[in-house]
Amino acid sequence: MRVVVVRFPGSNCDQDCHRAVELAGGRARYVWHRDRDLGDPDAVILPGGFSYGDYLRAGAIARFSPAMEDVVRFARNGGPVLGICNGFQIACEAGLLPGALIRNRTLRFHSFDQHLRVESADTMWTSAYESGRVLSMPVAHGEGNYEADPRTLERLEGEGRVVFRYVDLRGQASEESNPNGSARSIAGIVNEGGNVMGLMPHPDRAMETVLGSVDGQGIFQSLATHVSPVDTR
């Protein structure tokens, strides 16, 4: 599994993503946001952080970085793209995913462990999980409030494209278990083709026991299985 991690000015989870790929048995390399050649990767990761200092809107400037032209082209051709936190924001700004991430309803930055429920295990990103499983991953964002128009929300739900939802320890979604005010407690979605996923929680920070959770491993294991399927014949 060969994965490109795009680095922007202000990225701070690029090394976490690099290590997560290696822990899943893959090889990762960095591409600077000004570089236009992604090479021939199996997947691309847009990492978390504060690209361009989150000026204007989070991800609004990074969306115009030269490397994003290749990322968009890669995604349009069916290539797997994972946007984590700021990467989710960039993916929405670039039109790879619908909706937008706006300020948390508290107008405060949130950084803590959060429970989320796997809503769909039928994607290239979640096949290592079982639907309904409750995971624990860190969140660290000030603009994680996912919003979209009612028609888009209905479509996401109807097409099974909501893949993660904020819940409590018992797996119940409620206003109290929603850390940022996201519509319908949405924590992560995929595009129509299922090859682009964005989520606000950090699976890259939930890869080793020493970090408090290994629940993020399933995302990178799922990707590894998708790009390098095991021959069971």
Side-chain angles (χ1 to χ4, degrees):
M1 178 173 67
R2 299 161 299 161
V3 179
V4 160
V5 179
V6 182
R7 280 177 146 172
F8 301 90
S11 294
N12 64 12
C13 296
D14 41 347
Q15 294 183 48
D16 299 299
C17 290
H18 193 289
R19 178 164 176 78
V21 170
E22 292 183 333
L23 289 171
R27 290 178 296 162
R29 63 182 177 87
Y30 298 120
V31 167
W32 183 235
H33 75 117
R34 289 187 179 277
D35 296 337
R36 292 182 177 273
D37 186 10
L38 296 178
D40 185 29
D42 294 313
V44 173
I45 297 177
L46 305 176
F50 303 91
S51 57
Y52 289 91
D54 281 350
Y55 289 109
L56 298 182
R57 295 184 307 276
I61 301 178
R63 174 264 177 276
F64 293 102
S65 289
M68 284 302 298
E69 294 181 17
D70 280 349
V71 173
V72 170
R73 187 177 304 111
F74 179 77
R76 301 291 189 213
N77 290 331
V81 175
L82 172 62
I84 302 172
C85 197
N86 188 220
F88 186 9
Q89 296 161 342
I90 295 170
C92 287
E93 291 288 339
L96 295 178
L97 292 168
L101 285 305
I102 64 175
R103 292 290 301 276
N104 295 343
R105 63 182 170 187
T106 60
L107 303 182
R108 297 178 180 176
F109 183 87
H110 292 289
S111 180
F112 43 71
D113 291 337
Q114 171 67 42
H115 291 103
L116 56 154
R117 186 176 66 216
V118 180
E119 298 293 88
S120 173
D122 189 26
T123 77
M124 70 172 68
W125 303 103
T126 56
S127 61
Y129 299 115
E130 293 182 357
S131 294
R133 179 177 170 182
V134 176
L135 310 174
S136 176
M137 296 183 196
V139 294
H141 56 253
E143 298 181 39
N145 184 348
Y146 180 76
E147 297 295 336
D149 63 87
R151 184 176 180 180
T152 297
L153 291 172
E154 288 296 335
R155 185 175 181 183
L156 288 172
E157 297 279 14
E159 295 177 356
R161 290 165 54 194
V162 176
V163 288
F164 294 108
R165 203 180 307 271
Y166 298 116
V167 295
D168 59 23
L169 181 59
R170 299 172 299 170
Q172 302 299 311
S174 67
E175 184 175 347
E176 290 73 23
S177 64
N178 186 335
N180 47 44
S182 287
R184 305 191 183 192
S185 295
I186 290 174
I189 61 173
V190 292
N191 67 340
E192 290 185 44
N195 61 301
V196 180
M197 182 173 77
L199 74 164
M200 289 308 295
H202 282 270
D204 50 311
R205 297 183 183 178
M207 294 292 294
E208 300 176 84
T209 303
V210 68
L211 299 178
S213 173
V214 295
D215 288 349
Q217 292 180 354
I219 288 176
F220 297 93
Q221 291 169 351
S222 298
L223 175 62
T225 299
H226 175 77
V227 301
S228 303
V230 177
D231 189 345
T232 58
R233 291 177 298 176

